[in-house]
Amino acid sequence: MTDEQIVSDLAVILNEVAGVDQSKVSADKSFLDDLEVDSLSMVEVVMAAEDKFGVKIPDEEVKNLRTVGDAVAFIKKAS
Amino acid sequence: MSRRVVVTGLGALTPIGKNVSETWTNALAGKSGIIKISQPWAEGLAAQIAGLVTVDPFEVLDRVSARRMDRSTQLGVIAVKEAWVDAGSPDINKERLGVFFGTGIGGLTTVLEQYDILNSRGPDRVNPLTVPMIMPNSAAAMVGLEVGARAGVHSPVSACATSAEAIAGALEMIRNNRADIVVAGGTEACVNRLAIAAFASMRALSTKNNEPQIASRPYDIDRDGFVMGEGAGALILEEEEHALKRGVKIYGVVSGAGMSSDGYHIAAPEPEGAGASRAMVAALNDANAKATDVAHVNAHATSTPVGDIAEYKAMKSALGNALDNVVVTATKSMTGHLLGGAGAVESVFTIMGLKEGLIPPTLNLKNQDPEIKINVAKDEPYKLSANANFALNNSFGFGGHNVCIAFSKN
């Protein structure tokens, strides 16, 4: 799976869960500061991403996932 | 001189209409909102009929907001949005804006969905918003966020008296000068397999499954229980001077409220209606009114054999011979029983009735129970006399909660 595909799939999830405009989602964007995904929504995003990509994202990892790019890197490594 | 409280906005989402206008038109026309539940989940239930809202909340509300609300909250917020716009979307200091909004059952839809997810997919798939979606104050809190209320957000829970108690609370909140505007009302959405099985297990529901439109028949000799409905009602209560300064339309006055408790049984009403009568008398006293002032009562009248008689006895005890000059209606014959939403929706009917001088008919009243000696509006809208100025709305709840709200035209 390419980085672009993962970003695109995450954009769909972020839109569904938190109403984020898909066109604003890119690797450099911060979930909290740029995309305004609060901590409860982030839990939902993680759940949906785990289902979508077939990975497990432990709570202690979630706090390291500051940007979309961080999430892409983790998903690539874990899958 | 106590602060007078008027109604400046109304909202309703009911089995007979997507807003106040449609609900009112259909109420005057005597339309039933009760249908047979055809989905597979209703199979095997003793009661398979209900009054359902036809609006899809996901089409009306912002999609992301909607998915963070239980259905009961969704319906409540939709009714509040209507009422708020109807009141002119008041530009008010939010520290003078309050909310009194309740639900009888709460987020049961979400409880069931998440319990299924817990069992089928495991604890780590339970939605992180489950708690804020199922807590009993969820609808009030979401309404508070919707309007930005900062004077206080309150959520009475008193079963089917809930949203009448919310109006009583809102009235006090303005009288006590804690707020100038309070969004009041309530909501319910628990037409699901568990709630119907549970109410049916109490033998509270009508089982006229093959005749849904005639199942809810308050005061009729053939009544056999209530029909569950879903929906919400909302009223914008406002201090009179504040409303006059804003120059908005005024529907009528919330002139008093009375509350009592039976101290009798967890579900059955006190058979002589003593507690309900005390609530009605308290509402009259609070409004500085006499029994002879009462032109109309929107009764609780759920269509249960015992409840309708107990309420009749309460009316007789509270109003005496003046009851002979009162026209009563039972709008649950059309909407079904909206539980936590009932008091607010029926207050909307009561206010509209006074304002327009027309009382919606009670549906399905073919043979009036001879024990219930009251004048019931039926067949067509009842035209109030021109000097009719005062009406009561009764709401009672499991647990022995009795609430009566008094409204006047001016």
Side-chain angles (χ1 to χ4, degrees):
Chain A
M1 217 174 187
T2 66
D3 286 13
E4 289 71 29
Q5 277 173 314
I6 297 175
V7 170
S8 158
D9 286 347
L10 282 173
V12 171
I13 291 171
L14 285 161
N15 177 263
E16 172 69 22
V17 169
V20 175
D21 182 347
Q22 292 190 37
S23 67
K24 287 187 179 161
V25 178
S26 56
D28 58 322
K29 294 285 170 61
S30 155
F31 287 109
L32 181 64
D33 298 330
D34 299 324
L35 305 178
E36 297 177 343
V37 178
D38 66 22
S39 63
L40 285 178
S41 292
M42 194 62 192
V43 178
E44 270 198 280
V45 170
V46 166
M47 281 183 188
E50 287 181 334
D51 289 345
K52 177 76 192 172
F53 301 107
V55 298
K56 179 83 191 135
I57 310 175
D59 280 359
E60 56 271 24
E61 278 299 332
V62 173
K63 61 178 181 292
N64 299 325
L65 306 181
R66 200 182 64 80
T67 66
V68 174
D70 294 340
V72 172
F74 181 88
I75 288 163
K76 282 186 83 169
K77 187 160 60 92
S79 57
Chain B
M1 179 71 190
S2 100
R3 285 156 57 88
R4 282 201 355 141
V5 177
V6 297
V7 178
T8 55
L10 298 175
L13 180 56
T14 73
I16 59 170
K18 61 183 181 298
N19 51 36
V20 169
S21 158
E22 191 175 278
T23 296
W24 180 245
T25 301
N26 284 333
L28 290 179
K31 291 218 172 123
S32 170
I34 310 303
I35 57 161
K36 174 108 182 183
I37 306 167
S38 50
Q39 289 100 320
W41 63 257
E43 273 171 30
L45 292 172
Q48 300 179 4
I49 49 178
L52 298 172
V53 161
T54 55
V55 170
D56 178 0
F58 285 87
E59 308 237 314
V60 180
L61 299 170
D62 166 70
R63 185 180 53 80
V64 174
S65 306
R67 71 193 296 280
R68 295 175 178 187
M69 300 175 195
D70 180 76
R71 182 172 173 84
S72 58
T73 298
Q74 292 168 350
L75 303 189
V77 169
I78 292 170
V80 164
K81 279 174 176 279
E82 182 191 2
W84 187 253
V85 170
D86 189 39
S89 303
D91 180 17
I92 180 178
N93 171 3
K94 298 300 167 91
E95 294 183 10
R96 299 291 296 169
L97 173 63
V99 169
F100 250 99
F101 206 86
T103 169
I105 302 289
L108 187 56
T109 310
T110 302
V111 171
L112 295 171
E113 281 171 1
Q114 294 304 316
Y115 193 66
D116 280 349
I117 288 173
L118 172 67
N119 288 328
S120 63
R121 305 189 58 209
D124 62 355
R125 283 297 174 270
V126 170
N127 188 321
L129 291 154
T130 302
V131 170
M133 286 165 78
I134 69 176
M135 57 196 193
N137 58 316
S138 186
M142 281 300 194
V143 166
L145 289 172
E146 174 69 29
V147 297
R150 291 188 176 163
V153 169
H154 306 280
S155 40
V157 174
S158 48
C160 308
T162 291
S163 52
E165 185 169 343
I167 295 167
L171 173 65
E172 281 309 303
M173 194 171 181
I174 295 175
R175 282 177 171 172
N176 292 342
N177 204 13
R178 284 185 57 212
D180 294 319
I181 295 181
V182 179
V183 180
T187 184
E188 208 72 80
C190 63
V191 180
N192 58 54
R193 189 164 172 83
L194 177 61
I196 290 186
F199 278 108
S201 186
M202 300 176 82
R203 308 296 187 266
L205 298 182
S206 170
T207 55
K208 293 189 195 309
N209 294 329
N210 295 323
E211 303 166 292
Q213 303 216 327
I214 66 158
S216 185
R217 44 194 316 123
Y219 305 132
D220 191 89
I221 195 79
D222 291 324
R223 67 191 185 279
D224 70 331
F226 77 81
V227 177
M228 198 189 289
E230 63 171 5
L235 298 86
I236 307 300
L237 269 55
E238 185 163 359
E239 193 273 325
E240 187 175 38
E241 294 299 320
H242 194 273
L244 291 172
K245 260 185 220 148
R246 289 203 304 125
V248 289
K249 70 176 174 309
I250 291 174
Y251 284 95
V253 182
V254 188
S255 43
M259 294 191 271
S260 73
S261 48
D262 280 352
Y264 173 76
H265 188 270
I266 189 62
E270 196 279 316
E272 297 305 311
S277 172
R278 282 186 288 113
M280 294 182 75
V281 170
L284 285 176
N285 290 340
D286 190 40
N288 285 318
K290 307 181 296 293
T292 48
D293 293 328
V294 182
H296 165 55
V297 176
N298 185 306
H300 186 61
T302 63
S303 182
T304 63
V306 290
D308 290 6
I309 287 189
E311 185 178 17
Y312 157 66
K313 288 179 177 171
M315 287 191 271
K316 185 68 190 171
S317 161
L319 303 180
N321 291 336
L323 183 58
D324 296 344
N325 299 316
V326 172
V327 62
V328 176
T329 196
T331 42
K332 288 185 182 79
S333 59
M334 295 176 278
T335 61
H337 190 353
L338 272 48
L339 310 179
V345 166
E346 287 154 25
S347 285
V348 170
F349 287 139
T350 311
I351 292 163
M352 290 298 290
L354 274 179
K355 182 169 173 287
E356 310 234 321
L358 285 174
I359 303 306
T362 301
L363 217 56
N364 301 321
L365 183 52
K366 299 294 175 230
N367 298 298
Q368 187 165 336
D369 186 332
E371 276 195 66
I372 300 175
K373 302 178 193 75
I374 49 173
N375 310 306
V376 183
K378 59 175 180 177
D379 301 327
E380 56 187 20
Y382 178 92
K383 203 169 181 320
L384 290 174
S385 71
N387 59 358
N389 183 49
F390 191 85
L392 300 174
N393 174 28
N394 282 345
S395 290
F396 314 131
F398 283 167
H401 311 272
N402 307 301
V403 182
C404 179
I405 308 291
F407 294 100
S408 56
K409 226 163 34 176
N410 44 49

